[in-house]
Amino acid sequence: MEFTITADEYRRLCALIYEESGIALGEQKTSLVVSRLSKRLRELGLATFTEYYEKVTTDRTGEEFTRMLDLISTNKTDFFREPKHFDFLRERVLPECSRTKRIRIWSSACSSGEEPYTIAMTLYDSVENPAEWDFKILASDLSTRVLAKAAAGVYDEERVRMLPPDMVKRHFLKGRGERAGLVKVKPHLSGMIQFRRVNLMDERFPIKTPLDVVFCRNVMIYFDHDTQETLVNKFHSYIKPGGYLFIGHSESLQWITHPFKLIAPTIYRKET
Ligand SMILES: C[S@@+](CC[C@H](N)C(=O)[O-])C[C@H]1O[C@@H](n2cnc3c(N)ncnc32)[C@H](O)[C@@H]1O
């Protein structure tokens, strides 16, 4: 059965999504929303988007909202996606932190975890004695579904195939028997990371110590101008002077007002 959405139903759904997540869907996204959510309506045995709206807004656990968001937005990510950021981390950030041997990083829309684990591998592999360092990474996302996957740290072997084999050996356990074809992140990496649900729309973030780097990659494209501006300025207050904000390669802060200095493509520095 093909579902249709009325203009009013679409407006209400978009308003809800925008309010809760900051994701701004324009009218041109109508058919995308219908095609992505139709399967879910069918699974739930619902006949209209009004019924679905009711379902989402009366679900106190928030699970249906998360499901809806997962269907609409993309969780696409990869190990070492946009590798220049990790080069920068190794070549610039780590040396700058070498006196204190302490580093705090936030992967703020971490999806299924490839980004924070890549940060952890980069830090671990770039210093002589990782045990001497105090590495802490906060990995967060709005979606509890992807966050659970991130915290589990289990991936199809295929996902790590493009990494150097010695790196895979160092940081992943290979599954056997029933778990053949899977790899699991080793505890020395997962121990560096705290996973937590954080909505980037929240007024305050659960961060007490000023951060060396915030990764906010490939999520701001879903937000409108004002939401981006508010968020980037909020990040500024959580980053220590001399710290950095990394954004996705297809994103830009060109049109928004913020106090960061652009020092390399998609890399911004909070000036002292
Ligand atoms: C395309 S993934 C980006 C993953 C990773 N940062 C990367 O660049 O590979 C976008 C993620 O943003 C998350 N997201 C969307 N809206 C959010 C919000 N308001 N707060 C936190 N995360 C959000 C989605 O759940 C999704 O996992």
Side-chain angles (χ1 to χ4, degrees), residues 80-203:
F80 287 94
R81 181 181 195 187
E82 299 173 357
K84 286 223 158 25
H85 288 144
F86 305 100
D87 296 340
F88 189 90
L89 203 55
R90 182 174 47 248
E91 288 159 16
R92 181 90 176 252
V93 183
L94 269 172
E96 285 176 1
C97 297
S98 64
R99 196 181 51 79
T100 56
K101 289 195 164 48
R102 178 189 152 103
I103 184 157
R104 297 288 179 267
I105 297 181
W106 182 20
S107 167
S108 71
C110 73
S111 188
S112 40
E114 287 84 339
E115 182 177 280
Y117 289 125
T118 303
I119 298 169
M121 285 190 272
T122 303
L123 298 177
Y124 193 93
D125 288 345
S126 306
V127 302
E128 221 163 272
N129 186 359
E132 283 179 355
W133 282 72
D134 177 8
F135 294 135
K136 280 204 176 66
I137 301 161
L138 170 66
S140 68
D141 200 279
L142 176 60
S143 164
T144 45
R145 190 188 61 86
V146 288
L147 212 48
K149 180 156 174 43
V154 176
Y155 299 94
D156 282 340
E157 218 170 339
E158 205 51 48
R159 305 278 303 147
V160 296
R161 196 141 286 166
M162 79 297 192
L163 305 186
D166 62 317
M167 182 182 264
V168 177
K169 217 165 160 190
R170 201 159 49 247
H171 298 304
F172 294 88
L173 296 160
K174 234 170 127 64
R176 299 224 178 90
E178 261 183 22
R179 304 196 138 230
L182 298 175
V183 291
K184 184 173 167 57
V185 173
K186 287 188 182 175
H188 66 265
L189 286 193
S190 40
M192 290 161 64
I193 308 174
Q194 189 201 2
F195 293 96
R196 193 166 174 165
R197 181 179 188 266
V198 176
N199 186 344
L200 291 171
M201 296 304 105
D202 290 345
E203 206 170 311

Side-chain angles (χ1 to χ4, degrees), residues 82-89 91-93 96 214 217 243-254 258 260-271:
E82 299 173 357
K84 286 223 158 25
H85 288 144
F86 305 100
D87 296 340
F88 189 90
L89 203 55
E91 288 159 16
R92 181 90 176 252
V93 183
E96 285 176 1
V214 170
R217 308 190 311 163
Y244 302 93
L245 170 66
F246 295 170
I247 66 170
H249 281 31
S250 58
E251 297 167 323
S252 163
L253 305 187
Q254 202 183 342
H258 63 80
F260 287 101
K261 183 172 180 203
L262 177 68
I263 57 154
T266 67
I267 299 182
Y268 294 81
R269 185 167 190 266
K270 173 168 172 170
E271 296 295 74

Side-chain angles (χ1 to χ4, degrees), residues 23-56:
I23 295 174
L25 297 162
E27 281 190 10
Q28 72 284 6
K29 294 275 162 65
T30 315
S31 52
L32 177 132
V33 169
V34 171
S35 72
R36 298 238 174 124
L37 294 182
S38 285
K39 185 164 170 255
R40 187 68 191 137
L41 264 72
R42 219 169 287 129
E43 275 167 10
L44 293 167
L46 303 177
T48 65
F49 276 94
T50 296
E51 285 175 30
Y52 186 60
Y53 181 88
E54 280 294 304
K55 167 89 188 156
V56 174

